[in-house]
Amino acid sequence: MDRQYDFAALEALLKKRSFKALREALLELNEVDIAEFLGLLNGEEAVLAFRTLPKGVAADVFAELEPETQQLIVAAATDAELAVIVEDLYVDDAVDMLEDMPANVVKRILKNATPEMRGLINQFLKYPEHSAGSIMTAEFTDLRPTMTVEQAIEHIRRTGEDRETVYTCYVVGPRRRLLGVVTVRSLLLARDSQLVSDVMEDGVISVATGTDQEEAVRLLQRYGFLSLPVVDAEGRLVGIVTVDDAVDVMEQEATEDFEKMAAMAPSEKPYLKTGVFSLARHRIVWLLVLMISGMITGGILGRYEAAIAAMPLLVTFIPMLTDTGGNAGSQSSTLVIRGLAVNEITLRDFPRVLWKELRVSLLVGVVLSAVNFVRLILTYPGSEMVALTVALTMLCTVIVAKTIGGVLPLIAKACRMDPAIMASPLITTIVDAVSLVIYFAVAHRLLPL
Amino acid sequence: MDRQYDFAALEALLKKRSFKALREALLELNEVDIAEFLGLLNGEEAVLAFRTLPKGVAADVFAELEPETQQLIVAAATDAELAVIVEDLYVDDAVDMLEDMPANVVKRILKNATPEMRGLINQFLKYPEHSAGSIMTAEFTDLRPTMTVEQAIEHIRRTGEDRETVYTCYVVGPRRRLLGVVTVRSLLLARDSQLVSDVMEDGVISVATGTDQEEAVRLLQRYGFLSLPVVDAEGRLVGIVTVDDAVDVMEQEATEDFEKMAAMAPSEKPYLKTGVFSLARHRIVWLLVLMISGMITGGILGRYEAAIAAMPLLVTFIPMLTDTGGNAGSQSSTLVIRGLAVNEITLRDFPRVLWKELRVSLLVGVVLSAVNFVRLILTYPGSEMVALTVALTMLCTVIVAKTIGGVLPLIAKACRMDPAIMASPLITTIVDAVSLVIYFAVAHRLLPL
């Protein structure tokens, strides 16, 4: 995976101040790789290397840079240079960048943008986080229904330079109302004289600016689109969400689910870039909550002190029982949470999930308790009733754990809570308490306590 | 998310046998939605509704159907109908379908394919699972370097109908060697008389047929490509991976990680379509392994029977200590596993991860143990030494748990194992044992046992 280009050679050129050779070597690379190279340099070097890039490439590379490097370059750039970069950025990249910059830098950038760009940026900054509006881009290709195919292709050729994607064009009517969609593919495959309105598909699938970004990504994925139009409250086309942004959103949403399912507040930044205090803060709230639940479990255990004193052997099976219960429950909850996240499971499937988990848990529970029974009979000859107690508890715990694990995420969903919080840590804590209660209930019935 | 079209109205048309009206109503929908509708019908109805679709749409809808519905339609189709469907499928969709079909159905489909299609399908079926070859498509647009832009656009217009994506064209030389890449966008923006070789970019980023699909997807994502070329051992272009397939792979890989991290063998099928026995089998192996580890923990606990008998109160703090340790460790391991999966963390970051987790765990540990100390002092007045024992154990456990959690996935990676197995269940089991040892070591020192 480590696609290491010969960054050392590039750095040598930079150290020798061979800017012309450096520029040529850099232009051999993809802008993503150039950005990675610049990120490895110190501030002054990064600015020098960035300045060797020609105008068009510079903006593309700039969009790919880490916020820290962007800030260095903005700080070093003259107002004129800044104006060129900002004007060449796509609005969504510009907005992403500004969200990470200190206020004085934002001010300087906006000052150097054209009034039109400034208007767009300000509008985009207003969309709520995680909304379709916040990830859309304003650079799309729009056509009129009355154009011919030839005129449409001509229009794309004339204006395509500034557009993030030219492959899906949107047909708009009066007051920018979205009427239809036409792909460059269908334009190329049509006759020159046909009208755009004859080639386009109507009934366009679109989202509103306030729609959750996850919903927008889900639609892009479901239909295999390259882009999805975003309309405002009046049905006017204001932007598009492109598939490359969707891929990033998917990854980000999956990461958030991983974090929530491990009892952490989700963070925006990658692990290595998050500060120690921030990491600690994201983790401590849930740990405290779960610690209190752990105290409750301890309290339950405390109620059985007499039983434990009478038969200390019982204690040694507690970790195995609670661990297995927790693991069995986590398995079920993970599958259901993920199924809900990717829309394979919906609330209507509640009875199916319940019925499935009951049968699976019966199978798994029988096997685990049988293994346990045989082992205990062999390890503690003469303690058949203890073996039976542990085996029965194991069976009941697995059944209860899997049922709780399968059902709680669905209940959370029904209550409009995030199902991801019903994951391993919470399930484990609940199942711990439940399995202890089962254990001592069974023990009191079967053993002389 | 539930984009429910008026499927009831469509079903009514079908029941009335109004095939013409049904066909018109269906053609208003996207093929993905048509496929969803067919999936809701019973076998006979699904076949009837499918038959109303015009030829071109039928293959697109067929590709989107669930395997069960595909089989019904294949079983009902005449050989002539089958030949039409198979010929119109993209090779990758055909291969996906065949992988899910029983052998006799596969035979019948291959019999009705053209020799060319049959050859491609057989070749594709040979690529190993999860390789770039297994997810690529053979329908791409290839150009010659000596074509003019005008000729190239003409070529795309003539051949584009059969191509999965026409937006990125690949330039091939003698013996199909991959020379360069050119987007339709740059063709449209170039002058008609320019040569393809002047417009194309060379130094194309490509993968081999045997490359892991995850690597291919990572490259598509990194560079924001719409498609990525796949070459064979001789550097000949044999297919492309498109971004819509990449999105599906990303989702599938994330799901697999969720499953592994919850101690399950990953499954290929969605939860609701997986049988009870298969689900149980996927879950039981890890549960058995972890149960045995739980027994070891129990054995450790057994060694402290005397201490427990002397001070039964000690037992009541065990669930809280082990749970909190497990949760703290899972948090760290989840972040590192995910960081490794999305390439934000590499093996070289080992010292940084270790140092970060040490500091975070110190912060978190101090807070948790302080909270505990105060609570215990208030709940059990006069038992200051017990409170101190629990608080000290909490601090040590959190530090050890987070260090283990942060480091084990990296060690797994270094040993070329899947880091995802070093997740919550395994970490919890390890930390359980460790925290018990710490607890009783501290207790023996501080308390009169």
Side-chain angles (χ1 to χ4, degrees):
Chain A
M1 200 47 241
D2 270 1
R3 217 152 229 279
Q4 278 302 352
Y5 291 93
D6 195 0
F7 286 162
L10 294 174
E11 229 180 313
L13 290 175
L14 183 61
K15 291 255 188 292
K16 281 194 295 178
R17 300 289 186 261
S18 311
F19 294 124
K20 200 159 157 270
L22 176 65
R23 172 197 176 109
E24 269 165 31
L26 284 177
L27 290 181
E28 293 285 305
L29 302 182
N30 183 294
E31 52 265 31
V32 177
D33 298 317
I34 303 177
E36 185 179 341
F37 171 65
L38 294 183
L40 298 173
L41 301 174
N42 69 39
E44 199 193 338
E45 286 174 344
V47 173
L48 279 175
F50 183 79
R51 283 219 165 111
T52 67
L53 297 171
K55 219 181 83 172
V57 178
D60 288 347
V61 170
F62 187 83
E64 302 286 346
L65 288 172
E66 300 285 335
E68 297 82 30
T69 320
Q70 285 182 336
Q71 272 192 53
L72 285 172
I73 285 167
V74 170
T78 65
D79 280 6
E81 285 172 327
L82 203 54
V84 170
I85 297 172
V86 174
E87 202 48 34
D88 271 5
L89 283 178
Y90 293 118
V91 174
D92 60 334
D93 289 332
V95 172
D96 278 356
M97 171 189 87
L98 291 177
E99 277 168 348
D100 288 327
M101 296 262 167
N104 60 330
V105 179
V106 173
K107 227 163 152 180
R108 197 164 153 242
I109 290 171
L110 285 180
K111 200 189 76 188
N112 286 292
T114 57
E116 194 199 348
M117 183 73 165
R118 192 157 50 223
L120 276 173
I121 289 176
N122 278 324
Q123 184 194 331
F124 270 59
L125 282 170
K126 273 187 222 124
Y127 294 116
E129 221 186 345
H130 299 299
S131 70
S134 75
I135 58 164
M136 74 183 184
T137 171
E139 283 85 3
F140 52 85
T141 307
D142 48 354
L143 303 174
R144 297 275 158 179
T146 47
M147 288 175 166
T148 64
V149 166
E150 192 180 9
Q151 287 170 328
I153 293 179
E154 194 42 50
H155 177 81
I156 296 167
R157 292 181 84 149
R158 222 173 38 241
T159 62
E161 195 96 60
D162 283 337
R163 303 292 174 249
E164 175 128 336
T165 168
V166 298
Y167 302 124
T168 309
C169 305
Y170 296 95
V171 185
V172 292
R175 273 174 297 127
R176 306 200 53 70
R177 276 280 307 279
L178 179 60
L179 298 179
V181 60
V182 62
T183 59
V184 167
R185 175 177 171 165
S186 52
L187 285 177
L188 286 175
L189 300 178
R191 273 172 296 108
D192 280 341
S193 58
Q194 280 182 283
L195 285 182
V196 166
S197 57
D198 295 331
V199 183
M200 77 179 193
E201 284 187 48
D202 45 16
V204 189
I205 293 162
S206 65
V207 290
T209 50
T211 305
D212 192 295
Q213 60 178 9
E214 241 179 304
E215 161 79 4
V217 169
R218 188 64 52 204
L219 287 175
L220 267 171
Q221 187 188 0
R222 175 176 167 95
Y223 296 108
F225 291 155
L226 294 179
S227 57
L228 184 74
V230 183
V231 296
D232 66 10
E234 281 82 43
R236 288 176 303 208
L237 181 64
V238 288
I240 58 171
V241 176
T242 55
V243 68
D244 53 319
D245 295 324
V247 168
D248 294 339
V249 169
M250 273 182 73
E251 187 170 286
Q252 182 196 327
E253 299 275 354
T255 299
E256 275 189 29
D257 274 354
F258 275 110
E259 289 170 343
K260 284 186 217 150
M261 288 170 72
M264 284 174 281
S267 62
E268 292 285 301
K269 283 199 201 170
Y271 173 78
L272 290 175
K273 310 228 159 183
T274 314
V276 169
F277 280 94
S278 170
L279 280 174
R281 213 181 46 238
H282 281 132
R283 298 181 189 184
I284 208 156
V285 178
W286 268 107
L287 285 181
L288 277 169
V289 171
L290 294 168
M291 191 174 80
I292 293 166
S293 327
M295 289 175 190
I296 296 171
T297 311
I300 293 175
L301 199 51
R303 281 172 40 201
Y304 302 111
E305 259 176 36
I308 294 168
M311 198 178 262
L313 179 63
L314 283 183
V315 172
T316 61
F317 305 119
I318 290 179
M320 183 195 67
L321 288 168
T322 54
D323 280 3
T324 307
N327 290 331
S330 305
Q331 290 180 332
S332 306
S333 71
T334 300
L335 284 183
V336 175
I337 291 168
R338 183 64 183 162
L340 286 168
V342 299
N343 267 12
E344 272 164 18
I345 299 177
T346 64
L347 278 182
R348 278 171 300 171
D349 298 313
F350 192 102
R352 289 174 70 187
V353 172
L354 184 61
W355 176 227
K356 199 156 225 163
E357 285 306 315
L358 276 175
R359 286 174 297 161
V360 173
S361 62
L362 195 66
L363 269 175
V364 171
V366 165
V367 173
L368 292 181
S369 64
V371 170
N372 247 298
F373 187 74
V374 172
R375 180 193 82 106
L376 292 179
I377 289 284
L378 296 176
T379 327
Y380 303 95
S383 301
E384 284 78 14
M385 290 317 275
V386 172
L388 191 62
T389 302
V390 173
L392 267 181
T393 306
M394 179 63 84
L395 178 62
C396 297
T397 299
V398 169
I399 293 175
V400 173
K402 286 208 165 288
T403 310
I404 292 177
V407 162
L408 276 192
L410 286 166
I411 292 178
K413 177 90 176 178
C415 304
R416 298 180 178 279
M417 290 158 64
D418 189 338
I421 62 165
M422 296 300 178
S424 178
L426 197 60
I427 298 285
T428 303
T429 312
I430 296 172
V431 169
D432 272 8
V434 173
S435 57
L436 283 179
V437 171
I438 296 174
Y439 187 37
F440 285 101
V442 175
H444 269 289
R445 221 135 283 173
L446 297 186
L447 299 173
L449 294 176
Chain B
M1 198 48 241
D2 271 2
R3 221 157 224 277
Q4 278 302 350
Y5 290 94
D6 196 359
F7 286 163
L10 294 174
E11 231 179 311
L13 290 176
L14 183 61
K15 291 257 190 288
K16 281 195 293 178
R17 300 290 186 263
S18 310
F19 294 125
K20 199 158 160 272
L22 177 65
R23 174 196 174 112
E24 268 165 33
L26 285 176
L27 290 180
E28 292 285 305
L29 303 182
N30 184 294
E31 52 263 34
V32 178
D33 298 317
I34 303 177
E36 186 180 340
F37 171 65
L38 295 183
L40 298 173
L41 301 175
N42 70 41
E44 200 195 336
E45 286 175 344
V47 172
L48 278 175
F50 183 78
R51 283 218 165 114
T52 67
L53 297 172
K55 222 181 80 173
V57 178
D60 288 348
V61 170
F62 188 82
E64 301 287 347
L65 288 172
E66 300 286 335
E68 298 81 29
T69 319
Q70 286 182 335
Q71 273 191 51
L72 285 172
I73 284 166
V74 170
T78 64
D79 280 8
E81 284 172 328
L82 203 55
V84 170
I85 296 172
V86 174
E87 201 49 34
D88 269 7
L89 283 178
Y90 294 118
V91 175
D92 59 336
D93 289 332
V95 171
D96 278 356
M97 172 188 86
L98 291 177
E99 278 167 348
D100 286 328
M101 296 264 168
N104 61 329
V105 179
V106 173
K107 227 163 152 181
R108 199 166 151 243
I109 291 171
L110 285 179
K111 202 189 75 188
N112 286 293
T114 58
E116 194 199 348
M117 184 71 165
R118 192 158 49 224
L120 275 173
I121 289 176
N122 279 322
Q123 184 195 331
F124 270 58
L125 283 170
K126 273 188 223 122
Y127 294 116
E129 221 187 345
H130 298 298
S131 70
S134 75
I135 57 163
M136 74 184 182
T137 172
E139 284 84 2
F140 51 84
T141 307
D142 48 354
L143 303 173
R144 299 273 157 180
T146 49
M147 287 176 168
T148 63
V149 166
E150 193 179 8
Q151 288 170 327
I153 293 180
E154 193 42 50
H155 177 80
I156 295 169
R157 292 182 81 149
R158 223 173 36 242
T159 62
E161 195 96 58
D162 284 337
R163 304 290 175 250
E164 176 126 338
T165 168
V166 298
Y167 303 125
T168 311
C169 305
Y170 296 95
V171 186
V172 292
R175 274 175 296 122
R176 307 201 51 71
R177 275 282 306 280
L178 179 60
L179 298 179
V181 61
V182 62
T183 58
V184 167
R185 174 178 170 162
S186 53
L187 286 176
L188 286 176
L189 301 178
R191 272 173 296 107
D192 281 341
S193 58
Q194 279 182 283
L195 284 183
V196 166
S197 56
D198 295 331
V199 183
M200 76 180 193
E201 283 187 50
D202 45 15
V204 188
I205 292 163
S206 65
V207 290
T209 51
T211 306
D212 192 296
Q213 60 178 12
E214 242 179 305
E215 162 79 5
V217 169
R218 189 65 52 206
L219 287 174
L220 266 171
Q221 187 187 1
R222 177 177 164 95
Y223 295 109
F225 291 156
L226 294 180
S227 57
L228 185 73
V230 183
V231 296
D232 66 10
E234 282 80 44
R236 288 176 302 208
L237 181 62
V238 288
I240 58 171
V241 175
T242 54
V243 68
D244 53 319
D245 295 324
V247 167
D248 294 340
V249 169
M250 273 182 72
E251 188 171 286
Q252 181 195 329
E253 299 275 354
T255 299
E256 275 189 29
D257 275 354
F258 276 110
E259 289 170 341
K260 284 188 217 148
M261 289 169 72
M264 283 174 282
S267 63
E268 291 285 301
K269 283 198 201 169
Y271 172 78
L272 289 176
K273 311 227 160 189
T274 315
V276 169
F277 280 92
S278 169
L279 280 173
R281 213 180 48 238
H282 282 130
R283 299 182 187 182
I284 208 154
V285 178
W286 268 107
L287 284 182
L288 277 169
V289 171
L290 294 168
M291 191 174 80
I292 293 166
S293 326
M295 290 175 189
I296 297 170
T297 311
I300 294 174
L301 198 51
R303 281 171 41 203
Y304 301 111
E305 260 177 35
I308 293 169
M311 196 178 265
L313 180 63
L314 283 182
V315 174
T316 62
F317 305 118
I318 290 179
M320 183 195 64
L321 288 168
T322 55
D323 280 2
T324 306
N327 291 330
S330 304
Q331 288 180 334
S332 306
S333 72
T334 300
L335 283 182
V336 175
I337 291 169
R338 183 65 184 162
L340 285 167
V342 300
N343 266 11
E344 270 163 21
I345 299 177
T346 63
L347 278 181
R348 278 172 301 173
D349 298 313
F350 193 102
R352 289 175 68 189
V353 171
L354 185 61
W355 177 225
K356 198 154 225 163
E357 286 305 316
L358 277 175
R359 286 175 297 160
V360 173
S361 63
L362 195 66
L363 270 175
V364 171
V366 165
V367 173
L368 292 181
S369 63
V371 169
N372 248 297
F373 186 75
V374 171
R375 181 193 82 107
L376 292 178
I377 289 283
L378 296 178
T379 325
Y380 304 94
S383 302
E384 285 78 14
M385 290 317 275
V386 173
L388 190 62
T389 303
V390 173
L392 266 181
T393 306
M394 180 62 84
L395 178 62
C396 298
T397 300
V398 170
I399 292 175
V400 173
K402 286 208 165 288
T403 310
I404 292 178
V407 162
L408 277 192
L410 287 165
I411 292 178
K413 177 91 176 178
C415 303
R416 297 180 179 279
M417 288 158 64
D418 188 337
I421 63 166
M422 296 300 180
S424 175
L426 197 61
I427 298 286
T428 303
T429 311
I430 296 172
V431 169
D432 271 8
V434 172
S435 57
L436 283 179
V437 171
I438 297 174
Y439 186 37
F440 286 100
V442 176
H444 269 289
R445 219 135 285 170
L446 298 187
L447 300 172
L449 293 176

